[in-house]
Structure formats: structure tokens, C-alpha cells
Amino acid sequence: MSTTPRIAIIGAGPGGLVCARVLQQHGVPVTVFERETAPHSRSQGGTLDIHEDTGQAALRAAGLFDQFLTLSRPEGQEWRLYDRHATLIRHDQADEDDLSRPEIDRGQLRALLLDSLAPGTVRWGHSVRAVTPLPHGTARLHHHDHAGEDFDLVIGADGAWSRVRPALSDAQPSYAGVTLVEVHFDDVDHRHPGIARLVGRGTMSAKAGRRSLVLQRNSNGHVRGYINFRGPQDWHAGLDLVDTEAVRARLLAQYQGWDESLLDILRDNEGGFINRPMFVLPIPHSWRRVPGITLLGDAAHLMPPVGVGANLALLDGAELAQAVIGHSTIDEALDAYESVMLPRATDNAKTAQQMLTTLMPDTDSDAAAFPDTLWPASTLPDSRPAHTS
């Protein structure tokens, strides 16, 4: 570009951070605004399978692929499918040299990206209230302290409940009809050997109609579990969600008749239960161009968490940065980026919705649990709750 643009990224998730990294590699300054107060102020969620043609391509563009490989767990591609009687239906194991979708803890990926940025790039504890377009193609960032800053480009990488999105679109996330209830197990091989046997080195899923149980091995002997079911968003009506034993009793009633080894996922978790209703944006979700403002990741295309979202966010971030670097104006860069990102997002959102219907059919019939279809190598890996930075 003829002049150095002022660029703000809202949200220090994987997509926003990889965008910042690629921009800085090419000498383009950028500021990332994140509402969290520090890099480790809260858990960053579970494990992600990073795909060859999307997430890995973005990490290559960022010059971080080799570092990613040292942290990733190729053995985490192992996947087991059970029925509700704990009968093993399918068992997939990756070859030793298979790097098509190795796993990495989301926190490790975020730390890798943060460490690659120039000191001071991320402004921690900076919440954004709104963004408004200004004349001449610029945009004003409104902070919660009512201060304002003007930029040539504001990138909304701030997740499901984006504060940037309203500048482009009236769309709001809606409940997808599926809830995930998260549970945790520490030092699983010693303290929870039954859970360790079920999950193996990667992911397991047990299914029956409208319900499933998922376990995912993270690093350092930690396993996250997800109790997944179709039902109303207020399934917990009359319950105090901090009353662990009351929630446990309600969930056990839903899974009555399942094998005892699977019910241990509901009985033996450490800590409480974390309610995660699933939200999605309309399909397709698009907008008319607003100069100086765009979106990436869940802010642009929130879809069911079936292994696609984080990978698309990474690819969005890398491609948006490359568009800015490769074009003479911000408007030309956004033309190039959005003309590719929006149709790709629509195609992936349709596929993700179809996959969710397959994984979580709206029937209690066991016959619906194992349709004649290609099952994914892992299910529901992107289940960190999206938030507004």
C-alpha cells in the first residue's frame, strides 16, 4: 500500500492472532484488542484438530508450522465410536507419518501465536463496545470506557457475540437445538483408568439417537468430556447449575439405560458441569461492503462445532492479512478477501449443519445412531465458548 494503514483486530483468538502475525511478518503494524485481562486469565478450551488444507496452510503462511508440529499430537487423531452399551463400533488410528489433522490444545496454539507477535501488540483488558464507519472509508472503535480510536481497517475476530458484526449485519446467533455440557478429568491414566480406556489417545463418541457422550484427550493427562443432547435451551429449568449433584441427577436420568462405564462420564467428573448451548449464524451469512470493516472466524460464520470453525478462522486470518499486503487499498483487499471467504463459509456451514443432523438426529431411535455415512475423525472439537472481546 502507498501508506501504512492503521489496523485494529478485535479478539485475540487463533484467527485474529494469525492475521496479526502475517501482517507483522510483512512490516504492517497492527493492534489487537482483547477483553481478557491477561494471556492466562481463563482456560482457553479443549483440543483442536488442525487440518492440512486450512489451519495448517495458515500456520505455514505465518511461518509457524514447524513450531506447531513440535507441540501437536498426531496420535490424537485416533477415534473410537461406541454404542450406548459401550460396544466398540469403529476404531480409527492414524499412521505414524499421518499429519493430516493432528491435535493441539487450544491454549498451546494461542500461546504459540502470541509469542510470535511483537511485544505490546495485544492490549489486554480492552473491551470494545461498538464500531462505526466514518467518511472516507475509515472506522471508529468505541471502547467501554467511551474512548474512541480511528482506524483504516477494523477486523472483527471477536467470536459468536461479536461487537463488530452489527456494523455490517443485523444477523444474531440462534440456538441450534443442541446443548453440550462440559466435564473434566485430570491425571486420567492414574485417577480415572476407565475413562482413559474409553478415550484412548484421541477422541471417543458414544451415541444413541438424540444423545451422545464425547471424550477428548488433551495434553498432560487431561480429558474433557461433553454430554451432548437435542432439547430445549432451558433443559435445566428449575435447576441451579452450580448445584453439581442436582445437575448430575438430571443428566443421569436422561442417559438411563446406558452402560455403566459410559455413565462414569457423568458420575466421576472433577468439578462441576458447564452448560454450553450451541449457537449458529444464519446460512448464508453475508453483508454489503462497509469500507474499513470486516469479520473473520465465528464473528463471520458461526457454525456447529464439528471440527471446521477454528480451521476456517485460521485460514480467514492468514488470507485477510495476505490480501491487505497484496493490494494497494484496503477496499481492494476486502474485495479479494470477502469474495473468497463468504462463499467458502456458506459451503462449510451447510456441510457442518448436515453433519450435526447426522451426529445428533432428532430421534431417540438407536437405528438412527449409526447411519451409513463417513464419520468424522473427531466430533465436537471446537467447543470453547465464543465470547466478545
Side-chain angles (χ1 to χ4, degrees):
M1 295 192 175
S2 56
T3 59
T4 301
R6 300 163 298 170
I7 300 177
I9 298 173
I10 317 306
L17 293 177
V18 82
C19 185
R21 161 68 178 179
V22 175
L23 287 170
Q24 287 188 348
Q25 276 187 300
H26 291 81
V28 179
V30 60
T31 303
V32 179
F33 296 90
E34 170 56 54
R35 75 166 190 176
E36 293 176 16
T37 56
H40 305 293
S41 61
R42 72 170 188 157
S43 169
Q44 293 304 304
T47 183
L48 301 169
D49 52 335
I50 304 300
H51 301 181
E52 246 177 340
D53 56 345
T54 50
Q56 291 184 37
L59 292 172
R60 287 182 187 276
L64 298 173
F65 182 70
D66 289 342
Q67 294 178 58
F68 159 74
L69 286 184
T70 66
L71 295 170
S72 69
R73 303 187 307 278
E75 71 278 5
Q77 296 172 98
E78 180 182 2
W79 181 70
R80 303 178 184 205
L81 175 65
Y82 300 88
D83 66 14
R84 64 189 178 96
H85 307 294
T87 302
L88 186 63
I89 303 298
R90 179 169 169 175
H91 186 191
D92 293 344
Q93 299 185 75
D95 295 335
E96 287 186 9
D97 59 350
D98 184 355
L99 297 176
S100 59
R101 46 196 299 165
E103 298 279 340
I104 186 171
D105 287 9
R106 185 186 283 264
Q108 291 177 322
L109 177 62
R110 190 196 202 199
L112 170 63
L113 291 164
L114 284 171
D115 289 346
S116 75
L117 298 178
T121 299
V122 180
R123 293 193 196 174
W124 299 100
H126 279 70
S127 294
V128 170
R129 182 164 50 90
V131 179
T132 55
L134 297 174
H136 312 297
T138 58
R140 178 161 296 164
L141 206 59
H142 302 274
H143 299 286
H144 269 291
D145 62 4
H146 298 287
E149 291 184 77
D150 295 350
F151 292 90
D152 299 298
L153 174 60
V154 173
I155 300 167
D158 50 342
W161 306 101
S162 171
R163 295 297 180 88
V164 180
R165 189 192 302 124
L168 302 175
S169 163
D170 293 331
Q172 289 288 324
S174 60
Y175 179 56
V178 174
T179 289
L180 290 66
V181 180
E182 183 178 326
V183 292
H184 292 253
F185 304 88
D186 286 319
D187 194 13
V188 66
D189 297 296
H190 298 100
R191 294 164 62 174
H192 305 281
I195 296 294
R197 284 192 295 271
L198 283 171
V199 72
R201 300 183 301 170
T203 299
M204 66 75 68
S205 177
K207 283 184 48 61
R210 297 159 56 95
R211 297 174 181 84
S212 72
L213 297 171
V214 173
L215 294 172
Q216 290 186 316
R217 187 179 283 270
N218 295 196
S219 61
N220 301 317
H222 187 74
V223 167
R224 288 174 185 257
Y226 303 96
I227 303 156
N228 312 308
F229 48 87
R230 281 200 178 270
Q233 187 178 345
D234 64 350
W235 67 272
H236 50 80
L239 278 181
D240 183 349
L241 288 174
V242 302
D243 185 343
T244 297
E245 292 310 313
V247 175
R248 191 187 318 280
R250 176 74 62 89
L251 292 171
L252 283 168
Q254 287 202 45
Y255 287 81
Q256 186 174 4
W258 286 53
D259 187 81
E260 294 297 312
S261 66
L262 297 172
L263 293 179
D264 284 344
I265 298 171
L266 289 73
R267 293 187 183 123
D268 296 344
N269 54 299
E270 301 181 22
F273 296 88
I274 306 169
N275 190 48
R276 307 279 198 217
M278 186 187 299
F279 289 88
V280 295
L281 280 169
I283 306 173
H285 177 233
S286 61
W287 53 86
R288 288 188 177 182
R289 167 65 45 72
V290 175
I293 306 174
T294 194
L295 305 172
L296 64 78
D298 284 352
H301 44 68
L302 180 66
M303 60 188 73
V306 293
V308 180
N311 282 282
L312 287 183
L314 288 165
L315 188 61
D316 289 350
E319 290 187 346
L320 175 53
Q322 290 169 329
V324 170
I325 294 156
H327 291 83
S328 58
T329 68
I330 292 293
D331 210 47
E332 289 174 359
L334 295 189
D335 273 335
Y337 164 68
E338 291 177 357
S339 67
V340 173
M341 181 274 290
L342 288 171
R344 177 176 65 209
T346 296
D347 290 344
N348 277 276
K350 289 177 180 177
T351 300
Q353 185 60 51
Q354 292 166 357
M355 189 178 293
L356 179 64
T357 301
T358 297
L359 292 169
M360 302 292 294
D362 193 14
T363 174
D364 282 322
S365 169
D366 279 357
F370 308 105
D372 184 17
T373 188
L374 179 64
W375 284 73
S378 62
T379 58
L380 305 176
D382 286 346
S383 50
R384 177 190 179 225
H387 71 283
T388 302
S389 298

